[in-house]
Amino acid sequence: MFLLTSLAMAIGSTLAGAVAVGFEPALAALIGAGLALLLGTIGARLVTLQTERLTTVAQAMAENPGKRASIAAAGEFQELGDALNRMADKLDRTTSELRGERDRFGVVLEGMVEGVIGLTSDGRVALCNRSATAMLGEVKPPLQKRLLDLVRQPALKDLLARAQAAPRLRADEVRDSDVPYVELTMASGAKLLWSAWPLDRAGIGVLLAVRDVTALRRLETVRRDFISNVSHELRTPVAIVYASAEALCDGGLEDPTVARDFAQTILRHAERMSRIISDLLDLSRIEAGAYDLSPSGVQVTERIRHAMRLIEPTTTARGQTVTADVQDGLTVRGNPQALDQVLVNLLENASKYTPQGSQIQVGCKRLGDRVELWVADNGPGIAAQHRERIFERFYRVDAGRSRDLGGTGLGLAIVRHLVEAMGGTVTCDANEPTGARFRVFLQT
Ligand code: ADP
């Protein structure tokens, strides 16, 4: 534009010169007007061209954020082009920041153990992370579906109604005690704790957090059962000791024979309580991680021979034979004392629950990167329905018989805890043709 103005001024002065050198003034004025019109048209065309180019670049930028304007002209068009480019750069940076933030948010949401579900104001799923999708038993996020169609439980309906009626708070204003929650048992048996609060932002009316508390509730039940089992196990011997001591005080001491009987009863039941307490202490020590795993590997054959020596007096007294079938030189990751206790417990059971003169086998062999140790007997065995449960605390197939034999019902629970503490597994199956076979698998 500046160029064109200068040109017009130059032409004007040239025409003035022409008049001076003798052209007709009217003709000169006509020529001048014609030239000015021509130049004006050219100027206007140039402006249109630049504007069109900028418009095209702006459109291209909208399509492709990497596109930039290159304006050769000087003056305001150059400035406009630069401003357009700066705006596009800034837009680029903002977009990539937003994209990064969205990706981070997505990663956190998808990586969460808790389920997160966002509902629209009419109760449809607008957001559902991976955990929530799995908890709902769906393969992919059930977007657009009504949550109450997926979980048909009146308690959830109430929760949503309570959440919707609650005042809208900012995240930093929400206190745990304000958030309504409900625990639901799903069709799958899973126990889910749902909490909900109103949001009214980004198309989400209610935000739900879902926690799977199945394992927690199971643990609570196990603990409750455990306490009641311990009380139950101790109640009988305590009552007997109490009654026998009372009988002694009430005149039993006067008769030496009666006194001896009562004293022996007290001793027997005191021993029983002491065994229960010592087994319970063993279990809690194992749970507290008291056994360190030996870094150098435990010699399996050595441990088997040691356990056989310890059990020999018991089996000899009952006319039972113990035979070993070992592969020499095997080592496992574990703890020697823990492995001794495992083997002795299994051998004691094999002796205790089989008749006089029965046969017990103990052995070990390599199985890839693991070693299998086994203790088998030819006694009555364990019926299939009891085999998994006998590893539970205080579970016995025949409680009376176990008590008569001095059992606490904790021996196999200790075995399983010890084996698992060493990173292994223990199983029980039937021995052929009869009897029980316990197998312990440990890493080499
Ligand atoms: P207990 O102190 O009663 O022996 P355990 O936990 O060691 O407790 O064993 C649990 C139950 O498993 C026993 O009461 C018994 O019924 C059964 N059991 C264990 N080992 C054998 C075996 N070798 N043969 C038959 N029954 C067994």
Side-chain angles (χ1 to χ4, degrees):
M1 285 293 278
F2 173 74
L3 200 74
L4 283 171
T5 321
S6 322
L7 203 62
M9 279 168 65
I11 290 168
S13 57
T14 312
L15 284 173
V19 173
V21 292
F23 272 109
E24 274 297 315
L27 185 63
L30 200 65
I31 294 171
L35 277 172
L37 190 67
L38 182 69
L39 287 172
T41 311
I42 293 172
R45 182 71 197 131
L46 278 175
V47 170
T48 311
L49 271 176
Q50 296 282 37
T51 314
E52 273 173 9
R53 272 184 64 195
L54 281 175
T55 309
T56 316
V57 170
Q59 275 165 349
M61 276 177 181
E63 299 292 322
N64 169 13
K67 190 86 189 160
R68 292 294 178 268
S70 66
I71 302 293
E76 60 265 45
F77 275 107
Q78 181 65 52
E79 274 172 35
L80 193 59
D82 287 347
L84 212 57
N85 285 344
R86 277 199 304 280
M87 187 189 76
D89 285 345
K90 189 145 188 253
L91 215 60
D92 238 16
R93 277 198 303 278
T94 313
T95 318
S96 76
E97 272 169 25
L98 282 175
R99 196 176 299 125
E101 213 159 288
R102 186 201 60 195
D103 289 351
R104 275 193 296 278
F105 174 71
V107 166
V108 171
L109 201 66
E110 289 309 300
M112 279 173 73
V113 178
E114 279 83 15
V116 178
I117 299 174
L119 295 184
T120 57
S121 49
D122 63 344
R124 289 181 190 277
V125 178
L127 178 149
C128 187
N129 72 347
R130 198 176 42 83
S131 298
T133 307
M135 288 176 198
L136 291 171
E138 300 283 322
V139 184
K140 56 182 183 24
L143 300 176
Q144 303 301 328
K145 291 193 185 156
R146 274 172 51 79
L147 182 66
L148 290 174
D149 289 340
L150 299 168
V151 183
R152 293 175 180 274
Q153 299 218 25
L156 184 62
K157 194 174 172 190
D158 288 351
L159 177 76
L160 295 182
R162 268 158 64 202
Q164 260 149 356
R168 265 75 182 140
L169 297 171
R170 286 201 320 265
D172 58 340
E173 293 169 340
V174 176
R175 281 173 301 154
D176 276 359
S177 53
D178 294 336
V179 180
Y181 65 89
V182 69
E183 188 173 319
L184 303 178
T185 304
M186 310 300 284
S188 63
K191 293 191 187 307
L192 301 184
L193 191 69
W194 299 70
S195 42
W197 64 92
L199 207 67
D200 217 3
R201 260 207 328 261
I204 292 179
V206 174
L207 194 64
L208 290 144
V210 197
R211 267 178 66 205
D212 189 338
V213 290
T214 318
L216 194 73
R217 296 289 175 258
R218 196 180 304 130
L219 211 67
E220 283 168 3
T221 313
V222 168
R223 282 198 194 290
R224 250 197 320 272
D225 289 356
F226 177 63
I227 292 170
S228 99
N229 283 336
V230 171
S231 319
H232 180 77
E233 288 295 325
L234 290 174
R235 199 169 48 210
T236 314
V238 166
I240 293 173
V241 167
Y242 188 89
S244 304
E246 210 171 36
L248 281 175
C249 294
D250 290 349
L253 279 173
E254 314 305 324
D255 181 341
T257 326
V258 172
R260 175 176 292 274
D261 281 352
F262 281 129
Q264 272 169 348
T265 306
I266 290 174
L267 187 64
R268 225 177 26 254
H269 287 91
E271 275 169 3
R272 179 166 159 64
M273 286 192 281
S274 150
R275 272 199 306 276
I276 293 174
I277 289 165
S278 118
D279 278 358
L280 287 172
L281 284 175
D282 275 354
L283 272 173
S284 81
R285 260 199 297 271
I286 303 163
E287 276 180 340
Y291 284 95
D292 288 335
L293 298 186
S294 163
S296 57
V298 182
Q299 297 284 341
V300 181
T301 315
E302 234 173 65
R303 295 335 316 154
I304 289 179
R305 302 259 179 238
H306 179 68
M308 284 170 75
R309 278 195 298 277
L310 290 178
I311 196 74
E312 201 185 335
T314 314
T315 48
T316 311
R318 307 199 64 215
Q320 296 164 325
T321 50
V322 184
T323 49
D325 173 10
V326 295
Q327 199 174 318
D328 279 327
L330 296 180
T331 58
V332 289
R333 235 174 79 80
N335 174 288
Q337 285 83 44
L339 191 53
D340 287 349
Q341 198 171 348
V342 167
L343 289 166
V344 168
N345 276 9
L346 293 177
L347 285 167
E348 268 179 356
N349 277 354
S351 167
K352 207 159 64 174
Y353 295 107
T354 57
Q356 300 253 349
S358 57
Q359 282 156 15
I360 300 165
Q361 299 106 42
V362 53
C364 64
K365 67 175 178 210
R366 180 187 273 279
L367 275 183
D369 60 350
R370 295 186 305 168
V371 167
E372 178 189 335
L373 291 95
W374 68 87
V375 174
D377 61 63
N378 63 346
I382 301 166
Q385 73 267 26
H386 298 297
R387 280 189 212 135
E388 192 40 46
R389 298 210 58 195
I390 50 172
F391 293 101
E392 290 172 18
R393 297 164 199 206
F394 296 116
Y395 189 87
R396 293 129 156 159
V397 177
D398 178 345
R401 185 164 144 70
S402 154
R403 282 198 196 100
D404 292 347
L405 294 169
T408 59
L410 294 168
L412 289 177
I414 292 175
V415 165
R416 186 168 72 180
H417 271 69
L418 285 170
V419 172
E420 286 177 358
M422 293 189 279
T425 50
V426 56
T427 60
C428 167
D429 34 31
N431 195 25
E432 290 302 326
T434 60
R437 188 161 69 123
F438 287 88
R439 293 192 292 167
V440 172
F441 300 91
L442 292 170
Q443 298 292 325
T444 52

